[in-house]
Amino acid sequence: MNCSSERIRKGVDLFTSGYNCAQSVVCAFCEEFGVPHATGQKLASGFGGGIGGLRRTCGAFSGAVIIIGLLYGDYDPNDKVKKREFYQIIKDAEKKFTERFQTSICKELLINAKSHFEDSPMARTPEYYASRPCTIFVAYACEILEELLADYNKK
């Protein structure tokens, strides 16, 4: 299995073992950047459930943004051109995610999938995972990151 598939599988496995969607994406990639798993887990912990269960931006996509920051976020804060280029990378990633799922908003993703959800964390049971499309979002966020990493490594 190639590296891309291994990271995607790792992200999905993390999610199905109890990590939130953002943690699953971040922890699938963070060690690539010298960030320990435990640190990635902490950094992404508040982004699950669309930012702390608020059902706003999808946690899987938010996790991808954290990794995009590790990949491209080392620009000088006063360099407006580099900042604009960095934001464009995020906008392009969000556009891909939205083209695939019609939105990057957690609540809308779950409504579109006709999934039951609550504002507080739900018990992670086989029924929970069977009713949630989130593994698909985690996998696609990881796929987007793999593409960005491949492009970055070509430079």
Side-chain angles (χ1 to χ4, degrees), residues 60-99:
F61 184 75
S62 293
V65 172
I66 292 170
I67 297 301
I68 292 169
L70 289 173
L71 188 59
Y72 290 103
D74 62 345
Y75 58 86
D76 181 309
N78 296 310
D79 187 336
K80 291 179 181 166
V81 171
K82 290 289 185 194
K83 184 182 256 187
R84 191 174 316 120
E85 290 171 355
F86 173 69
Y87 285 175
Q88 190 61 53
I89 293 167
I90 294 168
K91 289 174 184 177
D92 291 345
E94 195 277 340
K95 182 179 180 193
K96 277 185 158 183
F97 193 90
T98 298
E99 285 174 350

Side-chain angles (χ1 to χ4, degrees), residues 15-31:
F15 183 76
T16 58
S17 69
Y19 288 87
N20 74 37
C21 43
Q23 290 171 318
S24 300
V25 173
V26 169
C27 291
F29 287 85
C30 65
E31 291 176 351

Side-chain angles (χ1 to χ4, degrees), residues 27-39:
C27 291
F29 287 85
C30 65
E31 291 176 351
E32 173 87 20
F33 299 94
V35 177
H37 175 96
T39 302

Side-chain angles (χ1 to χ4, degrees), residues 81-119:
V81 171
K82 290 289 185 194
K83 184 182 256 187
R84 191 174 316 120
E85 290 171 355
F86 173 69
Y87 285 175
Q88 190 61 53
I89 293 167
I90 294 168
K91 289 174 184 177
D92 291 345
E94 195 277 340
K95 182 179 180 193
K96 277 185 158 183
F97 193 90
T98 298
E99 285 174 350
R100 169 82 53 101
F101 303 114
Q102 288 70 58
T103 184
S104 63
I105 304 301
C106 176
K107 184 176 186 174
E108 294 171 3
L109 289 163
L110 294 175
I111 288 170
N112 290 348
K114 296 178 178 41
S115 292
H116 169 75
F117 60 93
E118 299 173 11
D119 291 340

